[in-house]
Structures are given as structure tokens and as C-alpha cells.
Amino acid sequence: MQIAVVGSGYVGLVAGACFADLGHDVIVVDNDQKKLSALNRGEVPIHEKFLPELLHRHRGVRLKFSDDLETAVRASSAIFVAVGTPPTEHGEADLSYVESVARGISGAINSYKVVVEKSTVPVYTSDWVRKIILRNGAEAEEFDVASNPEFLREGTAVTDFLYPDRIVVGADTPQCAAVLREIYAPLADGSYYMRPDAIPRPDRAQIPPPLIVTSAKSAELIKHASNAFLAMKISFINAVASICESVGANVQQVCQGIGTDSRIGPRFLSPGVGYGGSCFPKDLMAFRAVARECGYDFRLLDEVMRINEEQRHRFIRKVRSALWTLRGKKLGVLGLAFKGGTDDIRESPAILLIHSLLQEGCQIAAYDPAARERAQEALNSSVTMTEDAYEAAQGADALLILTEWEEFGALDLNRLKAELKYPIIIDGRNLYDPEIMAAAGFTYYSVGRPAASPEPISGRAADTRTKKGTRS
Ligand code: UGA
């Protein structure tokens, strides 16, 4: 099928490359000339596993880049809208880019088209897109508007697209549903997975995935409700972790105990410095705003957001209780991205924490495997960026772990200890076993677990009590 994807950000680019891998002919449309030239030159603008392979495989053959929306619409049966929906100052989604694309599509409709919302949008958006297209001259029977939300995580977006838990198609007419079924047929009928050149199957993937057909409005709600539920799970476990710290329990054991209940499940129960990224914070605010507009006061979401913010304040208090005063302290920081496996620093808890620590007068040397360049722009020259984790630790009063990159969980502990001025680690992502850290000679603080140290920890150091068994 011939498909147009409008917007070449995370979602548009990954969707375009994956549709091409399913065998469709795809035109990705963007009005950013610099981005288009870079994509045409073969550059890959984001750090995303398997994306370089897919772009290399299909660029110029089944995947083209263009700034000409009209031609792309005329040539295509389905047009996926994947433009940005940034938050307004009141927390609502700004839909002006979606509206302007809808206007552009309207003038180019020359036969039956399915216009598909791929960006995360509030529940009434499909109605509005329809109105705008009609208002600009298209005939009602010439198009349908569908909602096909994505559930891609940054870092694993390509495998999430090709091996999804489910495909949600929000279509209000049988003709529209049929077009979307055809597009996803290679996944839903399993034929993609038989191909020798298919992107490798990740652990846990169930194939073929179910394709769920709903109304467009239900699909819009599914996206917001999914992200809100996942964020709620994270805030819930962070709240439980705080209680664990007060009573000397271990949140990891608690997680094991509750996560094995199949109704709850073990995933998204990792406590830490709070969720970040371009999705959860923005989507929670937007969902809250939509609910309010619909007459429902969704205060549960306020609490999810409050706990998330409090989690960062707690972490700063933990650093202070480990080091006493902060002014002039030298800190090594591991992790700048909002999570491991990405170079994205949008709403990164690590960046927000660094800002607070700088305000407290700390000096910071930081390392991130992928996000250094982006972080340097956001932090100006206030932070020294290092080439590896050990350099960040050099001469530091303590080392902070703020992002769950895999490599941060496999450091050479002897080397790390030799680099640090004091062997103190404050781990905001629970990457190490406290007992092992104490045995290796570190004073180790984490989230929701007792602090561990070769020596008893004295004074105010903790909501994080010393665990007897951890003394070596
Ligand atoms: C999230 C959703 O997981 C995707 O399903 C959705 O498609 C996407 O938003 C979106 O709306 O586009 P993403 O933002 O890439 O994906 O990141 P996640 O892996 O969900 O992590 C979000 C944040 O929560 C990160 O800061 C991460 O460190 C944190 N997190 C995650 C925890 O603190 N604990 C956990 O157990 C899981």
C-alpha cells in the first residue's frame, strides 16, 4: 500500500521505516529542510536500535522523504499524522500542528483516503480533524479519520512497532478499518515473522499480536489511559519505596511479592528518581486537562504527578544526608538521558536533579553513553562531560547513578573505588545489590532499600538504615 507519514520525529520516522519493512511504499513528509537533507544523506537523527538498519534497507527504494504534503496525499491511501503535540502553558495538548496538517490534507484529497492520528491526542481530536477537513472543501464520503495510537518506547521503538503487545485501530467505518487491517496484515497474520530478514524477535514477544478494532474515540482514550496507568504504577511503587525507607524494609522484596500476582505483574514497578521523557509528563497533564474539560476531576493524576516530583526532592535529601553539606562538593554523575538506551533528555529527572545540585553549589562531572551532546547544550558549560564512568568518578566526594543504562550496572567496582575520593554511591536506579556494594567497600544508598556500608552508618544518614548483614 502507498502510505504517507507526516512528521519525521521519533514516531513518524520509526513508523515510516517499519511500514516500509512491512512491504509498503512510504513517503515521510516534513517541512524541516535541514532534517530532510540529513535523512536523504543517510544520517540517522535519533539513537534508536535497528533504525539505522531499516533506513539503510529502504531509503530511496520503499522509503522516501519529501516536503510536498499535497503530492504525498494524492499518491497515498492512508496518511498517518505524526506531528508534535507539545503542551500549552495550561498543560493541554497544543493541536495547532495537527490542525494545519488536516487543512493541508483536505485540499489534496483526490480519492478515498484514511487520515490516521498517530500522535498522542486528546479524545475529541478525531472529530475535530474530520470537521477541519470538511470545512476546507473535502466531501464526507472521500475520507475517514482513524486513530491508531503507538505504544513505542524510546530506545526499543523499532521492536515495539514490529512486535507489539497489541495493535489498536480506532475506526468508525468498515471501509476505514479494512484499510488499517491491510496495512498491519503482515504483523497480524504473522507473515512478517516468517521472513529471514525480519528484525529479531525480542524476549517476551507474543506473535502474532492481536489487532483490536475500536471506535476512534476509544482508541484515543486507550493511549492516554495506558500512559497514565503506567505512570501511576511507577508513582505507586515510589510511594511504597518511601515507606520501605522509613521502616527499614526492602522495596525489591516487596516488588517481588506483589509483582508475582498475575493481576499486577512485575513490569513498571522499578522505583527510582521518578519518570521523565517526552511522553508521561506531557500526557498526564493533557489527560488531566481533557478529563476536566469533560467534567471529570481526575485528582488521582495530580497525586501521581506530585509523587513523581517529590521523588526528586527525596533524592536530593538523600544526597544531603550522605554528604552533610553540599556547597563545594564534587559529584560524579552517571546518566543524563531520561532513561537508559536513549539520547533523549526531555524532562529527564537526571537533568532536573543536576540543576538542583548546581544551585546547591555542587561541582559536577557527568557521563552518559549517548546523551552528552544534547545535555551539554541544556546545561551550558556548568557541567564537565567525561569520556567514561570512571573519569566522572575521579576525585569525587560521591557518585550518583541517575539513569538505568545497562553498562552502569556492570562497572569495575575496584577501579571505581580507586577513582573516587570517598567510596560513596547514591544510586537512584537500584542497579546494584547493597550487600555486594558494602562487601566491595562502598557506602551505598539506593531507593527503598536499606543503606549498606562496610562500617555502621551514623547520624541522619537515613531514612536508609544500615543493614546489619551488610557489614563486612
Ligand atoms: C512511554 C510508554 O512506555 C510507551 O508505551 C509510549 O508509547 C510512550 O511513552 C509514548 O507515549 O510515546 P517512553 O517515554 O519511551 O515510553 O519510556 P518508558 O520506558 O515508558 O519510561 C518512562 C520513564 O519512566 C523513564 O524516565 C523511566 O526511567 C521511568 N520508569 C520506567 C521508572 O522509573 N520505573 C519503571 O519501572 C519504568
Side-chain angles (χ1 to χ4, degrees):
M1 193 177 284
Q2 180 77 49
I3 291 174
V5 177
V6 190
S8 66
Y10 272 94
V11 175
L13 195 55
V14 170
C18 290
F19 284 141
D21 209 43
L22 297 186
H24 303 299
D25 288 316
V26 183
I27 308 174
V28 174
V29 182
D30 206 297
N31 54 13
D32 182 337
Q33 292 299 339
K34 258 171 71 182
K35 220 167 171 183
L36 289 175
S37 321
L39 285 165
N40 278 321
R41 277 197 305 274
E43 288 171 25
V44 186
I46 51 174
H47 180 90
E48 201 59 60
K49 203 168 173 199
F50 297 121
L51 187 60
E53 285 91 325
L54 289 190
L55 291 180
H56 180 72
R57 209 182 266 185
H58 302 298
R59 185 188 300 109
V61 188
R62 281 211 292 264
L63 181 62
K64 305 213 167 97
F65 300 101
S66 162
D67 63 352
D68 185 352
L69 176 64
E70 197 176 324
T71 307
V73 172
R74 285 182 187 280
S76 303
S77 308
I79 301 106
F80 286 79
V81 181
V83 295
T85 54
T88 66
E89 58 190 86
H90 305 297
E92 296 145 355
D94 175 353
L95 298 170
S96 54
Y97 298 114
V98 174
E99 182 179 351
S100 121
V101 171
R103 272 199 305 270
I105 291 172
S106 181
I109 291 180
N110 56 342
S111 59
Y112 177 73
K113 311 279 176 196
V114 173
V115 179
V116 194
E117 299 163 353
K118 199 74 179 146
S119 314
T120 302
V121 289
V123 63
Y124 45 78
T125 310
S126 54
D127 279 354
W128 268 110
V129 169
R130 182 169 185 79
K131 268 187 223 162
I132 297 298
I133 295 178
L134 287 172
R135 213 177 260 176
N136 284 278
E139 300 293 331
E141 60 286 355
E142 278 183 328
F143 74 98
D144 275 309
V145 179
S147 165
N148 169 223
E150 51 80 20
F151 304 99
L152 315 177
R153 289 160 302 167
E154 285 182 24
T156 53
V158 169
T159 42
D160 285 347
F161 190 101
L162 295 169
Y163 294 87
D165 288 347
R166 77 297 204 192
I167 299 160
V168 173
V169 162
D172 294 329
T173 70
Q175 192 180 7
C176 173
V179 169
L180 281 151
R181 275 187 199 280
E182 193 181 332
I183 291 173
Y184 284 105
L187 299 182
D189 67 16
S191 55
Y192 177 77
Y193 308 115
M194 319 281 263
R195 277 176 28 194
D197 64 344
I199 291 296
R201 178 181 178 173
D203 299 342
R204 277 199 299 252
Q206 298 285 342
I207 54 174
L211 187 144
I212 302 166
V213 180
T214 69
S215 67
K217 282 197 174 78
S218 298
E220 289 167 329
L221 268 175
I222 286 169
K223 171 67 197 213
H224 264 157
S226 295
N227 273 2
F229 194 88
L230 290 170
M232 181 181 74
K233 241 182 143 179
I234 299 170
S235 279
F236 179 85
I237 204 62
N238 279 332
V240 172
S242 301
I243 301 172
C244 287
E245 289 179 2
S246 311
V247 301
N250 183 326
V251 73
Q252 213 164 313
Q253 294 170 359
V254 176
C255 281
Q256 197 187 358
I258 60 178
T260 39
D261 184 326
S262 59
R263 292 166 304 175
I264 298 173
R267 297 170 72 191
F268 273 72
L269 281 183
S270 301
V273 287
Y275 62 77
S278 64
C279 303
F280 286 176
K282 169 174 84 93
D283 289 356
L284 259 80
M285 283 198 300
F287 197 24
R288 172 88 176 85
V290 176
R292 194 181 299 129
E293 222 170 284
C294 304
Y296 183 72
D297 188 11
F298 210 153
R299 271 187 267 174
L300 175 64
L301 299 185
D302 287 340
E303 197 52 19
V304 170
M305 294 185 256
R306 190 198 62 76
I307 294 170
N308 197 52
E309 198 178 323
E310 170 63 16
Q311 206 58 15
R312 290 198 302 273
H313 300 311
R314 284 184 74 86
F315 189 80
I316 297 283
R317 289 203 293 276
K318 201 168 281 175
V319 178
R320 195 176 285 121
S321 68
L323 298 179
W324 190 22
T325 63
L326 291 182
R327 183 158 303 283
K329 290 276 159 69
K330 196 170 170 222
L331 301 176
V333 165
L334 300 187
L336 297 159
F338 80 97
K339 64 172 187 177
T342 174
D343 61 350
D344 195 342
I345 57 159
R346 285 176 290 176
E347 296 292 322
S348 166
I351 300 286
L352 297 169
L353 282 165
I354 288 173
H355 277 304
S356 304
L357 291 164
L358 289 171
Q359 266 172 12
E360 298 268 1
C362 296
Q363 292 167 37
I364 293 180
Y367 171 68
D368 187 289
R372 269 173 300 169
E373 250 172 64
R374 290 188 174 194
Q376 188 81 77
E377 279 169 32
L379 294 163
N380 303 318
S381 51
S382 50
V383 169
T384 309
M385 296 292 164
T386 69
E387 290 302 312
D388 62 34
Y390 305 100
E391 194 189 334
Q394 251 170 38
D397 291 278
L399 185 71
L400 315 185
I401 303 177
L402 301 183
T403 302
E404 68 278 43
W405 278 96
E406 241 174 82
E407 66 172 81
F408 294 163
L411 296 170
D412 175 340
L413 296 180
N414 286 331
R415 190 169 161 204
L416 204 58
K417 203 162 115 208
E419 296 290 1
L420 283 161
K421 184 168 167 196
Y422 302 111
I424 299 173
I425 295 186
I426 306 156
D427 180 357
R429 298 291 189 167
N430 287 3
L431 299 189
Y432 287 95
D433 179 335
E435 302 207 1
I436 292 174
M437 296 308 273
F442 288 94
T443 298
Y444 176 77
Y445 302 88
S446 54
V447 182
R449 301 181 302 177
S453 172
E455 300 299 329
I457 299 171
S458 61
R460 291 191 55 233
D463 44 326
T464 44
R465 306 171 174 191
T466 314
K467 201 178 166 216
K468 268 193 193 142
T470 61
R471 292 173 202 169
S472 59

